[in-house]
Amino acid sequence: MPLITIELAPGRTHAQKKAFMQEVTTLTSVILKCPTETIDIIFKEIPSSDWAHAGKFYAEPDQ
């Protein structure tokens, strides 16, 4: 059973996530040769206040 976790910033619509999930499910099934019924996908939305890059939170203004 593949478990795929997608971590992303908030702001995508349900329709965008659904389209992404459907494509990832199809590709995973083809590439890993497993039934789609065995594939789980979890979306984790991480706010910019909890996401840092290069020593700076994305939520902090440029200095």
Side-chain angles (χ1 to χ4, degrees), residues 1 14 26 34 45:
M1 166 184 91
H14 180 76
T26 299
C34 60
E45 293 189 343

Side-chain angles (χ1 to χ4, degrees), residues 24-38:
V24 169
T25 298
T26 299
L27 287 172
T28 300
S29 178
V30 170
I31 293 169
L32 298 183
K33 299 183 183 346
C34 60
T36 57
E37 297 81 21
T38 67

Side-chain angles (χ1 to χ4, degrees), residues 10-11 13 16-19 23 25 31 34 36-43 54-59 61 63:
T13 66
Q16 288 172 313
K17 289 189 242 180
K18 183 176 181 178
E23 291 293 327
T25 298
I31 293 169
C34 60
T36 57
E37 297 81 21
T38 67
I39 300 167
D40 289 329
I41 298 175
I42 298 171
F43 288 92
K56 182 180 146 214
F57 284 107
Y58 280 105
Q63 296 184 19

Side-chain angles (χ1 to χ4, degrees), residues 48 51-63:
S48 59
W51 193 321
H53 174 76
K56 182 180 146 214
F57 284 107
Y58 280 105
E60 293 178 353
D62 289 331
Q63 296 184 19

